[in-house]
Amino acid sequence: MHGQLLNHFAKRSVQMATDSFNQQSLEQPQPHDGHEPAIGKLPKMGVAVIGSTIIGFVLMLTLIRYTLWGVIGTLAMVEQPQTTYIVKEEKNKKADDQVTAEEAIDTDVLVIKQKPVTSKIRATIQHLHAHGGFLARWRGLVPFAFYTVLQSFTAQFIGHLIPLPHGCGASVIGSVLSSVLLLRLGTAWVHIVISEPSTKSWFRRLPTTQAFKVLWLPTVITDLAVHLSAMIPMTILLACRMHQPPETLEHREITIAASKLFAVLVLGLVCFFGLAVPCGIALTRMQASMLPEEHESIVPFDRTFGGRLVPEIIGGSGAVGMKEAWQTFDRSARLRFVKLAIKFGAIDLMLHMLFFVTVGFQLYYLIGPEKLQQIAHEHRKA
């Protein structure tokens, strides 16, 4: 899921930057109906300021999303805190000669539950710094960037080869097939994120071809789950036909449209956490189960998955099954991941608000309030 989600976020960031340039109309519009345009051509300094703001925001958002969803999210999917039991036996000094040997010994059991590393974002980042320095928050960024570009190019190439009309699933099929073809690279990226720093280059950490035999079907299921979790609410949203401008609707119609929009948003969250997240967690844990023995994980997890993993050396697949990978992700771990996802979403929302406020102030000082009001008035008339 990490690859599909981050690819989606990266595409949205680039699309948002493009839309921002288009919406702000940095070039002088053509006059019409004999009237002068509301906004003149911005000075070069203004274009540079707004352009650098958009580029800087997209870069910042990409790096923050990678740290949160890519690194911390993957660690949270894999982590399985261990419980330590310490048994302490002491001889009962008050015991007399009539008691048995077992009764003459007092046994105390001390249970130590390890606090999850990924319970808090700040604690996880500090843990990453302890295992690789400041740049550890972006560990695996180079292979992931390579994977993202290659996966996007391969998906588009395959999509164009499929003889289906646009919008009939060719892009989905291309995305699924490209994810399958590159699953070894995706698995290597998971190993780099969850393990101690290695002297090996990332392309030398690609798993064997056995990984393809084990992971191709879970990869298909996960990729389809991610697409369905986005397509279902979008299809319903389009079916509601909420394409009319708000100013043409009556108060009752606006209330109904807002209720429909809220219902679709809730449905999208249900699809995401009920369909995409479980499949993505299971796939990531399957990939983590194939971490070679010579590499140590930076977060604790049972590498035998409760004895359900059969090593290749004794005839097994060397990976835990998809069902077992999800079952061993207990209730507390699921709640911890949901809380992290909510925090990630809140941070993402605040960053977007900061971006729009910043660009709004820049336009206010570069253009002026009167011209901004004129632009808004002409936009409503159009």
Side-chain angles (χ1 to χ4, degrees):
M1 182 180 67
H2 42 264
Q4 291 85 346
L5 284 178
L6 285 173
N7 286 341
H8 172 73
F9 288 149
K11 292 175 183 177
R12 289 295 303 149
S13 298
V14 175
Q15 182 181 357
M16 185 186 64
T18 305
D19 293 343
S20 298
F21 274 116
N22 293 335
Q23 291 174 1
Q24 286 150 19
S25 303
L26 297 183
E27 293 184 359
Q28 181 177 3
Q30 297 295 328
H32 54 86
D33 298 334
H35 297 286
E36 292 296 325
I39 177 174
K41 190 173 183 179
L42 283 175
K44 293 183 179 179
M45 182 60 68
V47 175
V49 169
I50 296 179
S52 59
T53 300
I54 295 174
I55 295 173
F57 172 77
V58 171
L59 179 61
M60 178 186 67
L61 184 64
T62 302
L63 292 177
I64 292 177
R65 278 176 170 173
Y66 179 82
T67 299
L68 296 179
W69 288 102
V71 178
I72 299 179
T74 300
L75 293 176
M77 294 178 189
V78 174
E79 185 179 14
Q80 188 176 356
Q82 299 176 350
T83 302
T84 304
Y85 298 90
I86 300 177
V87 180
K88 186 178 181 181
E89 296 181 349
E90 292 183 354
K91 187 175 181 181
N92 191 348
K93 297 180 179 179
K94 297 181 180 180
D96 52 26
D97 297 335
Q98 297 180 355
V99 300
T100 62
E102 294 181 356
E103 293 175 343
I105 298 177
D106 291 334
T107 303
D108 294 328
V109 179
L110 178 62
V111 180
I112 303 177
K113 293 185 177 180
Q114 187 178 13
K115 185 178 180 180
V117 174
T118 56
S119 59
K120 294 182 179 180
I121 296 177
R122 179 178 297 180
T124 309
I125 293 178
Q126 291 175 349
H127 183 75
L128 288 169
H129 289 179
H131 291 268
F134 179 79
L135 296 179
R137 64 180 69 191
W138 298 302
R139 51 170 45 205
L141 181 59
V142 173
F144 180 79
F146 182 77
Y147 171 86
T148 300
V149 174
L150 190 59
Q151 196 268 348
S152 179
F153 174 79
T154 307
Q156 292 183 12
F157 179 75
I158 296 176
H160 286 300
L161 294 179
I162 298 175
L164 287 175
H166 180 71
C168 292
S171 60
V172 175
I173 296 174
S175 175
V176 172
L177 292 179
S178 63
S179 297
V180 171
L181 292 174
L182 299 173
L183 66 83
R184 291 176 62 201
L185 179 56
T187 302
W189 176 80
V190 172
H191 293 173
I192 292 172
V193 169
I194 69 173
S195 64
E196 295 282 359
S198 174
T199 55
K200 289 184 178 180
S201 55
W202 62 266
F203 53 84
R204 293 182 180 273
R205 298 189 62 175
L206 294 175
T208 62
T209 54
Q210 178 67 18
F212 186 87
K213 300 177 183 178
V214 176
L215 297 176
W216 76 267
L217 183 57
T219 301
V220 171
I221 295 174
T222 301
D223 208 285
L224 288 176
V226 172
H227 284 288
L228 284 175
S229 64
M231 291 171 60
I232 291 174
M234 286 301 300
T235 301
I236 296 177
L237 184 64
L238 294 175
C240 292
R241 298 180 179 180
M242 293 187 295
H243 58 276
Q244 290 181 268
E247 56 268 17
T248 63
L249 300 176
E250 298 180 356
H251 178 73
R252 180 174 175 274
E253 294 175 330
I254 293 177
T255 304
I256 295 175
S259 301
K260 291 180 179 180
L261 185 62
F262 178 76
V264 171
L265 177 62
V266 173
L267 177 62
L269 292 175
V270 171
C271 291
F272 176 74
F273 286 105
L275 186 62
V277 167
C279 292
I281 290 175
L283 176 61
T284 302
R285 290 176 64 80
M286 289 183 68
Q287 294 170 321
S289 69
M290 304 183 74
L291 181 68
E293 291 293 334
E294 64 267 21
H295 296 290
E296 293 292 332
S297 173
I298 63 173
V299 291
F301 75 99
D302 182 10
R303 299 185 69 160
T304 67
F305 288 83
R308 304 182 188 189
L309 188 148
V310 181
E312 290 184 74
I313 194 172
I314 59 174
S317 63
V320 69
M322 194 172 190
K323 180 181 178 181
E324 292 76 13
W326 173 248
Q327 290 177 341
T328 53
F329 196 67
D330 57 21
R331 183 173 179 271
S332 61
R334 297 173 190 177
L335 290 176
R336 185 176 72 250
F337 183 83
V338 170
K339 291 178 182 178
L340 283 175
I342 294 174
K343 293 179 183 179
F344 296 165
I347 292 173
D348 198 275
L349 178 61
M350 288 188 293
L351 288 173
H352 278 82
M353 292 175 61
L354 176 63
F355 167 73
F356 288 115
V357 170
T358 302
V359 173
F361 274 112
Q362 290 175 346
L363 289 174
Y364 180 86
Y365 284 107
L366 289 171
I367 299 176
E370 295 181 357
K371 288 188 177 181
L372 282 177
Q373 291 178 0
Q374 188 177 354
I375 293 170
H377 178 68
E378 290 182 356
H379 178 73
R380 286 194 296 267
K381 289 176 61 178

